């Protein structure tokens, strides 16, 4: 990763943050909680993928339709997050697999 990639990444992130700040306050609160949840759970492709920008797109559509954030994500935000990443491998999945592999090697 070169300096240009880093600069471009920062530029994209700042644009993303500006989009989030343009959302209504209730959407911003839920977005920030979802972001924290995803950073803790750790889907492997979070940094490379477009999950967060897709979430902002989804929220912008909800705002445009005049819906409240609870109408868009439901009352259980954690369940909404789990549905978002249900088919994505997480760092926890990778760690569990590596532990299982190490145990299997040692027990041979």
């Amino acid at each position: 990763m070169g300096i240009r990639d880093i600069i471009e990444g920062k530029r994209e992130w700042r644009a993303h943050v500006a989009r989030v700040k343009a959302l209504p306050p209730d959407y911003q609160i839920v977005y920030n909680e979802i972001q924290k949840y995803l950073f803790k759970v750790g889907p492997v492709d979070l940094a490379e993928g477009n999950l967060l920008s897709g979430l902002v797109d989804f929220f912008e559509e909800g705002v445009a339709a005049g819906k409240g954030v609870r109408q868009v994500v439901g009352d259980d935000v954690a369940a909404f997050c789990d549905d978002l990443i249900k088919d994505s491998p997480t760092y926890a999945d990778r760690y569990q697999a590596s532990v299982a592999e190490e145990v299997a090697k040692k027990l041979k």
Side-chain angles (χ1 to χ4, degrees), residues 4-53:
R4 290 178 194 224
D5 294 332
I6 293 170
I7 292 170
E8 183 59 30
K10 284 186 175 185
R11 187 175 298 131
E12 289 173 5
W13 182 252
R14 286 186 189 123
H16 175 80
V17 170
R19 287 178 63 203
V20 172
K21 287 182 179 181
L23 293 169
D26 57 339
Y27 275 86
Q28 288 181 44
I29 291 167
V30 172
Y31 173 85
N32 288 326
E33 291 304 314
I34 290 173
Q35 181 183 6
K36 280 191 245 177
Y37 183 88
L38 294 176
F39 284 166
K40 286 180 182 177
V41 172
V44 175
D45 61 352
L46 183 62
E48 297 120 23
N50 58 2
L51 181 63
L52 292 176
S53 62

Side-chain angles (χ1 to χ4, degrees), residues 1 10 18 23 25 29-31 34 50 58-59 63 69 82 85 93-94 98 103 105-108:
M1 175 180 275
K10 284 186 175 185
L23 293 169
I29 291 167
V30 172
Y31 173 85
I34 290 173
N50 58 2
F58 182 64
F59 279 6
V63 171
V69 71
D82 290 339
I85 61 170
D93 295 334
R94 282 189 176 177
S98 71
V103 168
K105 284 181 188 175
K106 291 179 181 181
L107 292 177
K108 282 185 178 180

